[in-house]
Amino acid sequence: MHGFLASSIGVTCAAALALPLTLPAAPAAARPGGLPETGAPAVPGGTQSLPLVPLTTDRPLGSPAVQGLPRRDVRRFSMIGLIWDDPAAELHGDVQVRVRAAGTGTWSGWQDVETHNADHAADPGTEERASARVRGGTAPLWVGDSDGVEVRVRATSEAAAHGDGTEAGPREDGTGADVRAPRAPLPPGLRVELVDPGAAADTPADTPAQGTPAASSRLGTLSPETTAASEPNAGLAPLGATEIPELDRTATERELLTLAVAELTEEQRAKPKIGPRPRIVTRRGWGANEKLREKTFIYTKKVKAAFVHHSATGNGYRCSQAPSVIRGIYRYHVKSLGWRDIGYNFVVDKCGKIYEGRAGGVAKPVMGAHTLGFNSNSMGIAVLGTFDSARPTTATVKALGRLTAWKLGLHGADPSGKTYLKSGGGNLYRKGKNVRLNVISGHRDGFATQCPGRRLYAKLGSVRGYAAYYQGRG
């Protein structure tokens, strides 16, 4: 997620940010554009939005070089991120947080938050991007059940912000004096978002197997919003299903002729190249609160390419917690960043389980907000975790292969091939430029960013190989 403009994180932070934290705790403030979410939330989960305060007074003009939140008690949360007013502004600096584990009272060490997240967004000029609700923000970080927090944000130099990601050291100005590069100002309106993903919404713990009479009798318990999100998948699973079952190759090829017959050539109808449909956990399966998102769905024409991302939420989650992590990302994208829905079309966890992302139907070309400039005619898949140094699991890599073999196969795309996408504008390609890309690309192929992390990006060749194999291409 972090762009090549990003500053270094971690190595010099401990010494440089050893700050006195004696400021009084600030009261929780209202969220921008609305009332504070206090007390028992009206819907499952909630967000505490707290303004940062200056931690030093050595900067007379502009925003303070160091802001933060002194250690304080808060309501329980599991995910944390920072937002600011202007979605076009970048945070050139280091963000670190530490939290207190609920129940044990143990404080964590300082943890880095990925600061460059603007490359995950709706395309320039779209209604979603132009919304007055949209704000800038970091990636969210999963920290587990916590009830205390401390935050520190340190601006880095302009040279570091626009150079190779390392802070500039002392330099000579020709007079023998030591001169340090000026620090980039921190963006106005910095706030820390403490996200409680809540319990799964509208999903009884004892939901029976789909297709049984008991399952049908529970349809009356679905909210209108949950019903609306489930309807686009009605051809693949019963209304209100918590998962879409996998199919074998024969059944998948038969289904293909009903789902995408208008897009297929005669050769593709005669010899379809599509991977067996994988098992997919629906939005109801991971407990999405459908009242959070925009009611309508937005579609693109087709899916010509898949962009692979990492969520940069960290790797400290258990597979059983993956639905909670996804609910946290969903709430952060919608309530904190102001997006219409979760940005990704699909999510894959470390155990290889595949989840439906943005609502609108897993077999349909839903317009996401995942790769700035290339959301049209593509899909975005986020792997839960951070893969700059950690390796993705084999289960994850194979799951990416299964998912892309099926979804790209619906549109006749060869996962080992190339395609052209028209740029909507970004830091690599100007708006309107036709760009030749791998059908399965990493986020960094469409935007100057380190996403999906060095280790996951190195596995995309394997993903293409698995996907081609599952499609029967050799």
Side-chain angles (χ1 to χ4, degrees):
M1 283 198 183
H2 42 288
F4 292 130
L5 302 179
S7 55
S8 63
I9 295 177
V11 177
T12 62
C13 290
L17 293 174
L19 304 170
L21 299 177
T22 57
L23 295 175
R31 297 179 52 81
L35 297 174
E37 297 189 51
T38 57
V43 294
T47 303
Q48 301 167 72
S49 187
L50 309 175
L52 301 191
V53 297
L55 295 182
T56 60
T57 58
D58 60 355
R59 187 174 181 137
L61 298 175
S63 62
V66 184
Q67 295 185 37
L69 190 70
R71 184 181 298 191
R72 62 180 295 169
D73 299 337
V74 292
R75 299 193 307 276
R76 290 168 85 142
F77 69 99
S78 299
M79 183 168 279
I80 185 170
L82 266 67
I83 63 169
W84 51 89
D85 296 340
D86 183 1
E90 292 191 59
L91 195 164
H92 297 301
D94 302 326
V95 177
Q96 290 189 312
V97 301
R98 56 190 308 224
V99 299
R100 184 179 62 203
T104 69
T106 302
W107 283 88
S108 72
W110 288 105
Q111 303 178 69
D112 298 321
V113 176
E114 175 51 67
T115 58
H116 289 267
N117 193 49
D119 44 326
H120 294 70
D123 287 345
T126 60
E127 183 179 348
E128 181 173 7
R129 180 71 174 179
S131 169
R133 299 190 307 272
V134 176
R135 292 179 284 273
T138 68
L141 178 68
W142 178 259
V143 293
D145 192 14
S146 305
D147 60 9
V149 66
E150 186 176 3
V151 181
R152 58 192 188 188
V153 183
R154 176 176 178 265
T156 53
S157 71
E158 292 279 7
H162 297 91
D164 63 1
T166 59
E167 179 152 11
R171 69 178 190 270
E172 299 291 330
D173 67 352
T175 65
D178 230 5
V179 179
R180 290 184 181 269
R183 287 174 175 171
L186 294 173
L190 279 171
R191 308 174 71 86
V192 61
E193 302 284 284
L194 307 178
V195 180
D196 170 14
D202 214 6
T203 307
D206 57 345
T207 299
Q210 297 300 327
T212 65
S216 299
S217 69
R218 289 195 183 275
L219 292 181
T221 68
L222 297 181
S223 69
E225 295 83 2
T226 300
T227 301
S230 182
E231 283 175 343
N233 292 321
L236 311 181
L239 190 66
T242 57
E243 68 176 54
I244 295 168
E246 63 182 350
L247 295 180
D248 61 22
R249 180 175 298 279
T250 300
T252 302
E253 291 176 354
R254 186 165 54 245
E255 182 181 74
L256 172 66
L257 298 179
T258 64
L259 292 175
V261 65
E263 296 183 21
L264 301 178
T265 65
E266 289 187 12
E267 182 181 358
Q268 288 171 332
R269 291 191 189 99
K271 297 180 179 181
K273 298 291 186 181
I274 185 171
R277 189 180 76 194
R279 174 178 177 264
I280 302 172
V281 177
T282 65
R283 290 171 63 91
R284 189 177 185 227
W286 55 260
N289 182 343
E290 300 295 354
K291 294 180 180 179
L292 297 181
R293 62 170 175 81
E294 294 285 333
K295 292 182 179 179
T296 57
F297 311 132
I298 297 178
Y299 298 98
T300 185
K301 292 181 180 179
K302 62 185 303 183
V303 177
K304 298 171 63 178
F307 286 99
V308 177
H309 305 255
H310 67 175
S311 64
T313 46
N315 303 312
Y317 71 94
R318 300 186 302 275
C319 290
S320 61
Q321 293 176 310
S324 292
V325 178
I326 299 170
R327 290 197 301 274
I329 296 172
Y330 170 46
R331 176 173 283 275
Y332 183 75
H333 281 182
V334 175
K335 303 298 286 185
S336 298
L337 297 181
W339 299 356
R340 62 181 295 111
D341 195 350
I342 189 172
Y344 308 113
N345 298 105
F346 295 93
V347 179
V348 177
D349 70 19
K350 66 175 67 176
C351 289
K353 187 173 288 188
I354 301 168
Y355 302 83
E356 178 183 15
R358 180 164 286 207
V362 298
K364 299 180 182 295
V366 178
M367 174 81 82
H370 49 83
T371 307
L372 182 67
F374 290 101
N375 291 305
S376 292
N377 296 331
S378 71
M379 68 172 178
I381 309 167
V383 178
L384 290 184
T386 304
F387 299 102
D388 297 315
S389 57
R391 292 185 178 89
T393 65
T394 300
T396 293
V397 174
K398 289 183 175 180
L400 288 170
R402 292 196 306 274
L403 174 58
T404 52
W406 172 69
K407 186 62 184 274
L408 292 171
L410 290 175
H411 299 270
D414 179 354
S416 59
K418 304 278 188 178
T419 191
Y420 282 89
L421 294 178
K422 181 177 289 187
S423 172
N427 65 0
L428 274 184
Y429 303 105
R430 60 174 173 78
K431 184 175 182 179
K433 181 178 177 60
N434 282 317
V435 182
R436 189 169 185 258
L437 295 163
N438 288 311
V439 169
I440 297 178
S441 285
H443 186 182
R444 64 174 63 182
D445 295 318
F447 198 96
T449 174
Q450 292 186 17
C451 181
R454 178 172 59 90
R455 296 284 192 170
L456 179 53
Y457 189 78
K459 289 292 185 180
L460 294 189
S462 297
V463 173
R464 297 181 192 108
Y466 280 124
Y469 171 76
Y470 294 137
Q471 280 194 355
R473 295 181 183 270

